[in-house]
């Protein structure tokens, strides 16, 4: 139950969220973007799944924050995000991320845990190797601009968006290459034991992350595993099986 005081004092979302969270929400799910994309990549998701209000997170350097400098490392992101989002961690919440988004979630939880902040009640990691394994994923540093543009366009079309305007393509590629380099250089030592329970989600047609890879997360904490039908980008369409897992695995901790 959210107190009347919490309803009155909840601050605005600012630049980090596309919309202000509902002050009467039972719980919140903060969703981190896939490489090269922003919060709009979750446009195909419902506003709520089970008790969780879906709250897509917007990073600088993309969409409505296009004029801001993007992050070049996960530690800087985690420092800023933990402070910016903390006012919205005033009730049960969870984090969801796919591929790079999962690494963002991981880095954020590590920072919150180190600083003694309010931890999420669950961490949902989709299609993600443990951080100590190093670089993986759909986008490769060796790809040409043409190839990266094709792959990024495929992602955007799967979200329900159209083709990237020609005049915006160089900017979109710059954001994507920065994300790829950020992921390539991120390899923290592991395993790092996490306090929140983890849901590791795999996809049967994912060429980079298989069930055995996902079981490496077992060394990071209490893990529940799910393998769903689909490929690397199926999560963008909010399949029913995924939504049911997000709602079904969520269980607020007693504070």
């Amino acid at each position: 139950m959210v107190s009347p005081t919490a309803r009155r004092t909840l601050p605005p979302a600012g630049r980090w969220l596309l919309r202000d969270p509902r002050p009467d929400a039972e719980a919140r799910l903060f969703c981190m973007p896939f490489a090269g994309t922003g919060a709009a990549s979750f446009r195909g998701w419902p506003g709520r799944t089970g008790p969780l209000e879906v709250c897509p997170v917007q990073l600088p350097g993309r969409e409505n924050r296009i004029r801001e400098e993007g992050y070049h490392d996960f530690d800087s992101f985690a420092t800023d995000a933990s402070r910016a989002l903390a006012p919205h961690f005033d009730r049960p919440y969870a984090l969801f991320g796919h591929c790079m988004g999962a690494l963002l979630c991981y880095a954020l939880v590590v920072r919150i845990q180190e600083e003694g902040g309010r931890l999420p009640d669950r961490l949902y990691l989709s299609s993600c190797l443990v951080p100590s394994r190093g670089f993986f994923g759909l986008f490769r540093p060796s790809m040409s601009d043409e190839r990266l543009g094709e792959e990024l366009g495929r992602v955007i079309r799967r979200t329900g968006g159209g083709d990237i305007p020609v005049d915006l393509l160089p900017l979109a590629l710059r954001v994507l290459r920065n994300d790829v380099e950020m992921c390539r250089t991120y390899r923290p030592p592991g395993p790092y034991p996490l306090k929140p329970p983890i849901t590791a989600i795999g996809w049967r047609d994912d060429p980079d992350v298989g069930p055995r890879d996902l079981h490496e997360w077992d060394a990071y904490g209490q893990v529940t595993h799910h393998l769903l039908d689909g490929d690397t980008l199926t999560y963008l369409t909010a399949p029913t099986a995924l939504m049911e897992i997000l709602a079904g695995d969520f269980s607020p901790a007693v504070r």
Side-chain angles (χ1 to χ4, degrees):
M1 178 68 67
V2 180
S3 70
T5 300
R7 291 193 183 99
R8 290 196 301 270
T9 61
L10 185 68
R15 297 168 299 175
W16 283 83
L17 300 172
L18 289 185
R19 58 183 179 273
D20 290 345
R22 293 177 58 88
D24 59 348
E26 181 179 345
R28 299 191 176 111
L29 176 66
F30 296 93
C31 302
M32 301 295 167
F34 187 65
T37 69
S41 61
F42 291 95
R43 62 164 60 91
W45 282 41
R48 192 179 78 175
T49 177
L52 295 162
E53 178 189 17
V54 175
C55 301
V57 174
Q58 187 69 290
L59 270 60
R62 55 206 80 200
E63 297 172 2
N64 63 319
R65 301 185 68 181
I66 195 67
R67 296 182 182 276
E68 301 176 47
E69 179 70 17
Y71 288 107
H72 299 285
D73 64 88
F74 284 85
D75 288 340
S76 297
F77 156 77
T79 297
D80 291 350
S82 64
R83 295 169 182 169
L85 296 175
H88 306 289
F89 297 160
D90 61 333
R91 64 205 65 203
Y93 77 97
L95 300 177
F96 171 87
H98 178 89
C99 199
M100 176 184 172
L103 293 178
L104 291 170
C105 290
Y106 170 80
L108 178 56
V109 170
V110 169
R111 181 54 49 86
I112 295 172
Q113 189 165 302
E114 290 176 344
E115 294 180 346
R118 178 168 184 162
L119 288 162
D121 295 87
R122 184 161 288 271
L123 180 59
Y124 298 96
L125 304 176
S126 171
S127 186
C128 186
L129 299 179
V130 295
S132 60
R133 285 278 297 275
F135 184 79
F136 69 100
L138 176 65
F139 307 115
R140 305 288 177 176
S142 60
M143 287 181 174
S144 65
D145 283 354
E146 180 179 9
R147 177 70 186 284
L148 279 178
E150 291 173 354
E151 293 296 332
L152 182 58
R154 186 163 67 92
V155 173
I156 292 175
R157 286 189 292 274
R158 287 283 287 271
T159 69
D163 292 331
I164 304 171
V166 175
D167 58 331
L168 294 181
L169 183 57
L171 182 58
L173 289 175
R174 185 178 71 187
V175 171
L176 177 55
R177 283 204 180 276
N178 182 75
D179 286 353
V180 169
E181 181 63 15
M182 187 169 153
C183 292
R184 188 188 68 80
T185 57
Y186 184 58
R187 194 165 184 173
Y192 181 91
L194 300 177
K195 294 180 180 179
I198 300 167
T199 291
I201 302 167
W203 303 87
R204 296 186 191 280
D205 298 324
D206 186 338
D208 296 306
V209 183
R212 290 185 179 180
D213 299 313
L214 288 174
H215 275 280
E216 293 184 14
W217 283 104
D218 293 351
Y220 286 72
Q222 177 189 338
V223 184
T224 301
H225 294 270
H226 298 278
L227 184 62
L228 302 180
D229 291 333
D231 61 19
T232 313
L233 301 180
T234 299
Y235 86 98
L236 293 167
T237 62
T240 300
L242 176 60
M243 296 300 105
E244 289 177 347
I245 287 170
L246 299 180
D249 281 9
F250 185 75
S251 179
V254 177
R255 307 268 180 183

